[in-house]
Amino acid sequence: MPGAFGPDEVRRVAEPALELGGVDGVEVLLMHEWGGLTRFASSAIHQSTWREDTAVRVRVVSGGRIGVSATNEFSPEGARRAAESAREMVQVVAPDPLFPGLAPPRPVPERDGFDEATASTTPQARAEGVAALVAQCAPGFEAAGAFETLATEIAVANTEGQFCWAPSTQASLTTVVTGGEGGSGFAEVFAGRIAEVDPEAVGRRAAEKARASQNPRDLDAGRYPVVLEPSAVATPVGFLAWIGFGGKTVLEGRSCFSGKEGRQVAAPSISIYDNATSPLTLGIPFDFEGVPRSRVDLIERGVFRGPVHDLRSAKQAGTQSTGHALPPPNPEGPFPLNLFLSPGDATLEEMIASTDRGLLVTRFHYSNVVHPVESTITGMTRDGTFLIERGEVRYPVKNLRFTQSILEALTNTTMIGRDTELASEFFFSASRVPALKVEAFNFTGRSDH
Amino acid sequence: MLDVVRQAVEAAGAAGADYADARVVREETESLTVRNQEMEGIDRASSEGIGIRVLVAGYWGFAATARMDEGEIARTAALAVAIARAASRLPREPVSLTPVEPATGRWDSPMQEDPFTVPLEEKVALLMEATRRMQLVKGLAFAEGSIDLFRRRSWFASSEGAAIEQTTVQSGAGIEATAIGDGEMQRRSFPNSFRGHIAAAGWEHVRALGLGEEAERTATEAVELLTATECPSERTTLVLDSGQVALQIHESIGHPVELDRVLGMEEAYAGSSLLSPEDRGRLRYASDLVSITADATLAGGLGTFGWDDEGVPAQRVPIIVDGIFHGFLSSRETAGAIDQTSSGAMRADGWQNRPLIRMTNVSIEPREGTLADIVGDTKDGIFMATNQSWSIDDRRVNFQFGCEIAWRIKDGRLTEMYRNPNYTGITTEFWRSCDAVGGRESWTLWGTPNCGKGQPGQVARVGHGAAPARFRDVQVGVR
């Protein structure tokens, strides 16, 4: 198994690019990733993989003109060639009047995000984990899913003198259990260390959900109160990252938060923030242009406080970067990768008990934007949707389509779970979120399973 | 490089593989984005490495590395074998591969002008001019133009004796106009949304798109949409332009006919399928006007190649014939489950990933007439154009699509413009309601360069030939 190159080797690779002549500045983003994924279906391992890849991405600046070139040749020669290619581009493009300069030298917070046991997990160990998960399935049920262990090191070096380097690891296990008379169950865990992944617990949870969701019945679409489990809450929160929380999006009037700074946009119980340095998420302590990441309170007690920024959007807004740049050139602007929705004080059981007639949703599937400025998205329920009547879960129902404004849902939220989970979304990075009870959620169609 | 992949196959054999194949892939991309006369992004990227796939006692293993020295290749091959051995921890029916004649040869996608040799100045000038023309329209917030170029060279060898070299070049460009005001944001794109129209072709394809000629109309429509009426909520006759028909095919036919989904191999992530193997030759998927073909031999498609990534030759495969479901997209592993041979649909994203069943060019066969003919033949309904969003359930049954623009059709003419149009339906009900499909003159082979699937996530570049089509009794204006 390979290991991290380490900061000295990374500096050595970046050096020829940083020494490129005839330009005003150079930034080198270096990435190294290695790990394995054991994929299973029908309770057997069917697609196991392992890979190691590198990337050297060089941004060259001259007179406000910017060029970017990348290679996966992780060597001083590769970095030099990428820098020369980027320099060729700056000779033909127009200057960016909003170019803010490269990141100045600043210390980056320490974050102990690397676990050697995770980085060196063997395929045999992942296979044992999958076997433990599969063993939780009752006869007639099967598990599918993926068990991944991944290590990365990321570094940014620039000609202003900024240098930052961080290694990190992550382990994730997701599964869907199917079988019996229709219905399915889902469970997942995301962690920085493989020791925090309990395959039996993940398998047990999905298997119980699959058993509970047998013989789903038809239910008419319409507005229902909903109890959203954390995996379902990750969808609206993830979409807000995309269509709402970026500084560029807000400044350009494309966000559901444009012009709403300081205004109530959600229930007073709702607070959402981004914090890559928290031990409760999987983050690196600096962004992809080398700015230290800081905690940003996005919605505080229901009031929109402001977006995240990279250096460019910060200059445009007359403020400081919050450390949320994506890799260049990034026309989309800054993006929060480590969102949190603050917990409340309710249990899932209390939310269900407080519901006269509504739905319990395990998670959503393949959602997409309907109207970004109104924060409206559509998607399907999946892997366990249940009717609640008179405070009790009555029976499973077939999957439903929703078409719903996220901010309207957050405004109609009356209960928030006291426990949080790091939950994934189909398209976005994982968010740490609790369960929510929303008093009105708009279901607009249904499926046959 | 054929020496390198052969060396990898030998190393895998020495490590204990019963079957092995190896692919070296070298990819280059160049991407430019201009917005309001400013360069929003210009970048080039290259990536090269080797992926080694093995079968050991009927279990798969795969390992990939960017370092291609002899020692690293041997280590990676041995790791692939170790991964396959670990997979046997959970017993399953051993994988067996349906036969294929080991191929040797070379294939290059046709092009007239290498887009990577076109001077950057010319590319920047083309986008500057198209966006300048859009900005002449009063009330426009953003005028954006983009160019995307892609070249993939691959070298493939297998322990059965295959030795293949292929090169694919793809070029595309598009413009996008955005108008913002009073809580609304409206977009119009040309020739298609999500960075335009990409084809397996050279720079001649970009030149022929006519971005500058369509700039003013595109921008004008975006501004007009700001004050247009909201698309009404009703059940009505729906006419779709060929770009939207392409994505409708992609989501509600292309994915459901992937045999790995049908067999549960994608269950945990993107989901499964409404189909079962027994549906072949029996299920009425669509009206008898609808015939769908997967054709990897079509000139210019993003799903066009000489051989797939397990060395199976490119094929033209009937998927739906006169409305009846006929056949799946398959691989050497899955085809055996339905007593067939592979349809040649296995492709991998780069060198880092194992191949999966992916769409080739999944297209609707043209019937007759133009878009104007279909609209002219419609008494009352709604015409929607240019995809804006998509969503479909995990068995590809219930879908909802949003488009950029719509118009009311009254007595065969387009009348009032509608903003924020969308429609929803159930896959087979929708396709069975199709009562008009345009002819060859209105048929376009579109590229979809962003099809996601698999774990780790892979992105495939696929094609869809589509003509405008009409559907009856469809729910539109979902709110």
Side-chain angles (χ1 to χ4, degrees):
Chain A
M1 294 286 178
F5 291 119
D8 293 341
E9 174 64 6
V10 161
R11 276 182 197 273
R12 190 182 75 82
V13 168
E15 203 61 39
L18 297 174
E19 290 171 356
L20 183 76
V23 297
D24 297 339
V26 178
E27 170 195 278
V28 188
L29 166 64
L30 304 107
M31 293 186 276
H32 177 209
E33 177 181 283
W34 67 101
L37 185 146
T38 299
R39 197 172 192 214
F40 53 103
S42 305
S43 292
I45 295 168
H46 71 312
Q47 290 176 0
S48 278
T49 61
W50 186 93
R51 63 180 170 180
E52 180 186 15
D53 196 8
T54 50
V56 180
R57 181 163 283 269
V58 182
R59 181 161 63 146
V60 167
V61 186
S62 182
R65 301 184 304 266
I66 298 160
V68 178
S69 186
T71 176
N72 76 332
E73 184 186 347
F74 199 84
S75 69
E77 182 58 20
R80 185 187 61 75
R81 273 202 292 267
E84 288 172 352
S85 172
R87 182 174 58 188
E88 184 194 338
M89 293 177 210
V90 301
Q91 289 161 3
V92 298
V93 302
D96 177 359
L98 291 172
F99 176 65
L102 300 175
R106 273 177 65 190
V108 167
E110 288 286 321
R111 191 183 197 284
D112 180 20
F114 189 85
D115 175 49
E116 184 55 43
T118 305
S120 58
T121 302
T122 63
Q124 291 82 2
R126 285 192 300 275
E128 288 301 330
V130 173
L133 183 152
V134 165
Q136 306 307 309
C137 295
F141 287 80
E142 293 178 331
F147 190 177
E148 183 171 32
T149 52
L150 195 62
T152 58
E153 60 182 318
I154 296 177
V156 179
N158 70 26
T159 47
E160 296 296 309
Q162 175 67 332
F163 179 82
C164 38
W165 171 83
S168 63
T169 50
Q170 72 174 63
S172 63
L173 179 56
T174 63
T175 191
V176 169
V177 172
T178 56
E181 302 299 319
S184 56
F186 169 78
E188 67 177 349
V189 61
F190 281 84
R193 296 165 188 273
I194 192 165
E196 296 167 32
V197 175
D198 181 348
E200 283 187 21
V202 173
R204 201 161 43 240
R205 189 170 163 187
E208 285 168 6
K209 184 81 81 172
R211 272 197 298 272
S213 65
Q214 292 294 292
N215 294 306
R217 303 183 201 174
D218 281 319
L219 184 74
D220 287 339
R223 282 190 181 269
Y224 291 89
V226 287
V227 176
L228 305 178
E229 294 193 11
S231 292
V233 174
T235 292
V237 171
F239 270 87
L240 282 185
W242 182 28
I243 61 175
F245 288 139
K248 185 176 181 183
T249 314
V250 171
L251 288 166
E252 291 180 347
R254 295 185 289 125
S255 164
C256 55
F257 298 114
S258 294
K260 293 183 179 169
E261 209 155 323
R263 284 170 54 183
Q264 197 80 31
V265 294
S269 54
I270 296 289
S271 291
I272 298 177
Y273 60 96
D274 185 86
N275 188 8
T277 59
S278 165
L280 296 175
T281 190
L282 306 173
I284 56 169
F286 53 88
D287 71 5
F288 293 97
E289 54 188 4
V291 174
R293 291 187 187 275
S294 49
R295 172 177 165 145
V296 180
D297 290 306
L298 298 154
I299 295 176
E300 199 174 17
R301 292 188 288 279
V303 175
F304 178 59
R305 291 298 179 199
V308 297
H309 284 293
D310 57 15
L311 286 166
R312 191 177 189 274
S313 73
K315 180 180 178 182
Q316 197 174 359
T319 184
Q320 300 294 311
S321 170
T322 56
H324 288 85
L326 294 179
N330 184 30
E332 293 303 314
F335 196 96
L337 293 169
N338 302 100
L339 287 173
F340 289 71
L341 200 161
S342 297
D345 56 7
T347 65
L348 193 69
E349 292 72 25
E350 288 167 349
M351 294 183 200
I352 293 167
S354 73
T355 304
D356 184 50
R357 190 166 193 269
L359 289 161
L360 172 64
V361 177
T362 300
R363 69 161 169 158
F364 295 120
H365 174 78
Y366 212 50
S367 303
N368 211 331
V369 178
V370 173
H371 195 301
V373 183
E374 292 175 359
S375 73
T376 303
I377 62 174
T378 187
M380 295 295 302
T381 66
R382 184 179 171 184
D383 300 327
T385 307
F386 303 90
L387 183 71
I388 303 168
E389 282 184 326
R390 293 179 294 283
E392 289 182 9
V393 175
R394 288 294 174 188
Y395 52 79
V397 298
K398 291 179 182 175
N399 288 310
L400 294 160
R401 169 168 298 286
F402 71 92
T403 304
Q404 173 66 50
S405 156
I406 299 169
L407 292 184
E408 182 189 89
L410 293 179
T411 299
N412 289 329
T413 297
T414 52
M415 298 176 82
I416 302 179
R418 67 184 186 195
D419 302 317
T420 61
E421 292 179 18
L422 202 53
S424 70
E425 205 288 328
F426 200 77
F427 294 116
F428 308 111
S429 56
S431 305
R432 182 162 283 281
V433 293
L436 296 179
K437 182 180 177 193
V438 180
E439 292 301 332
F441 207 82
N442 188 31
F443 291 97
T444 52
R446 62 186 185 186
S447 192
D448 65 352
H449 62 284
Chain B
M1 281 295 178
L2 280 176
D3 289 346
V4 174
V5 286
R6 285 190 180 114
Q7 176 197 337
V9 168
E10 284 171 19
D18 303 319
Y19 166 87
D21 59 38
R23 279 178 303 112
V24 166
V25 179
R26 182 184 297 157
E27 289 183 342
E28 297 164 75
T29 61
E30 187 175 293
S31 173
L32 297 89
T33 306
V34 164
R35 195 183 204 206
N36 288 2
Q37 297 295 291
E38 291 169 14
M39 206 74 217
E40 279 271 301
I42 176 167
D43 73 311
R44 291 174 177 153
S46 64
S47 178
E48 180 175 292
I50 185 167
I52 304 169
R53 187 177 72 146
V54 302
L55 268 177
V56 181
Y59 292 87
W60 283 119
F62 177 87
T65 179
R67 293 184 268 190
M68 292 197 287
D69 59 85
E70 196 172 332
E72 179 67 9
I73 286 174
R75 190 193 68 77
T76 304
L79 182 55
V81 169
I83 287 169
R85 290 196 169 121
S88 67
R89 171 67 180 81
L90 286 164
R92 60 173 289 196
E93 186 72 24
V95 172
S96 74
L97 300 178
T98 52
V100 62
E101 186 69 26
T104 57
R106 177 185 169 127
W107 182 87
D108 298 284
S109 66
M111 67 169 167
Q112 293 167 25
E113 188 176 3
D114 184 348
F116 289 91
T117 63
V118 173
L120 274 175
E121 290 90 336
E122 183 178 338
K123 296 166 182 166
V124 172
L126 185 148
L127 296 180
M128 286 292 187
E129 175 58 14
T131 52
R132 185 190 68 78
R133 291 194 196 183
M134 281 196 281
Q135 285 185 279
L136 295 176
V137 175
K138 199 176 166 191
L140 196 70
F142 300 110
E144 197 167 306
S146 60
I147 293 173
D148 293 289
L149 310 173
F150 175 77
R151 174 158 49 213
R152 181 189 202 251
R153 294 191 68 186
S154 65
W155 295 264
F156 172 89
S158 76
S159 55
E160 296 171 340
I164 296 166
E165 180 178 353
Q166 301 192 80
T167 302
T168 302
V169 173
Q170 298 170 351
S171 308
I175 53 174
E176 183 180 280
T178 305
I180 297 173
D182 199 21
E184 272 298 326
M185 178 173 69
Q186 294 295 329
R187 280 203 180 113
R188 281 297 281 141
S189 310
F190 175 83
N192 209 344
S193 46
F194 305 105
R195 297 182 77 84
H197 183 187
I198 304 180
W203 187 246
E204 69 280 358
H205 170 72
V206 175
R207 279 192 214 283
L209 289 174
L211 300 186
E213 289 81 347
E214 295 292 335
E216 185 179 347
R217 178 192 61 79
T218 304
T220 301
E221 286 180 356
V223 173
E224 288 175 353
L225 277 167
L226 277 184
T227 52
T229 304
E230 200 78 10
C231 179
S233 183
E234 63 184 69
R235 291 193 79 88
T236 189
T237 295
L238 177 66
V239 177
L240 300 176
D241 76 337
S242 71
Q244 177 56 31
V245 170
L247 202 69
Q248 180 76 49
I249 293 169
H250 180 95
E251 300 291 1
S252 67
I253 295 178
H255 279 305
V257 305
E258 295 164 345
L259 189 51
D260 53 354
R261 294 182 72 117
V262 174
L263 298 176
M265 297 163 80
E266 295 289 327
E267 178 77 57
Y269 186 59
S272 56
S273 172
L274 59 99
L275 295 169
S276 69
E278 294 72 36
D279 288 328
R280 279 179 304 154
R282 295 179 183 169
L283 177 73
R284 173 155 289 282
Y285 205 113
S287 71
D288 56 11
L289 274 180
V290 176
S291 288
I292 303 284
T293 307
D295 189 349
T297 69
L298 271 182
L302 298 196
T304 303
F305 45 79
W307 297 269
D308 74 359
D309 282 335
E310 47 182 17
V312 176
Q315 297 166 45
R316 178 178 163 86
V317 179
I319 300 293
I320 294 172
V321 179
D322 299 335
I324 303 298
F325 174 60
H326 191 277
F328 294 103
L329 294 166
S330 64
S331 62
R332 294 186 67 189
E333 175 186 359
T334 56
I338 54 168
D339 296 323
Q340 302 266 308
T341 55
S342 170
S343 74
M346 285 288 269
R347 291 196 289 156
D349 181 359
W351 51 269
Q352 308 93 325
N353 294 293
R354 74 185 304 282
L356 299 171
I357 295 175
R358 306 310 304 251
M359 288 172 236
T360 55
N361 302 300
V362 179
S363 308
I364 191 165
E365 295 300 312
R367 294 289 177 172
E368 63 178 325
T370 63
L371 173 62
D373 294 335
I374 295 174
V375 170
D377 180 48
T378 304
K379 185 164 179 51
D380 182 63
I382 289 178
F383 167 58
M384 294 189 192
T386 317
N387 178 262
Q388 184 148 277
S389 77
W390 58 94
S391 172
I392 191 163
D393 73 41
D394 58 311
R395 287 189 193 166
R396 304 270 149 180
V397 174
N398 178 304
F399 61 79
Q400 183 166 316
F401 290 94
C403 291
E404 288 184 349
I405 195 167
W407 286 269
R408 185 97 226 165
I409 304 171
K410 256 310 183 210
D411 298 325
R413 292 179 54 246
L414 297 183
T415 58
E416 188 179 16
M417 178 189 287
Y418 294 139
R419 72 183 186 191
N420 302 323
N422 64 23
Y423 66 96
T424 189
I426 300 296
T427 290
T428 49
E429 289 175 12
F430 180 79
W431 282 106
R432 287 171 192 164
S433 80
C434 179
D435 73 347
V437 176
R440 177 66 62 184
E441 66 272 37
S442 59
W443 189 93
T444 303
L445 181 50
W446 296 104
T448 301
N450 56 348
C451 176
K453 186 177 178 181
Q455 294 171 295
Q458 299 190 38
V459 176
R461 308 166 78 84
V462 307
H464 299 290
R470 184 173 62 198
F471 304 85
R472 298 292 188 181
D473 193 28
V474 179
Q475 178 65 50
V476 304
V478 183
R479 282 193 278 279

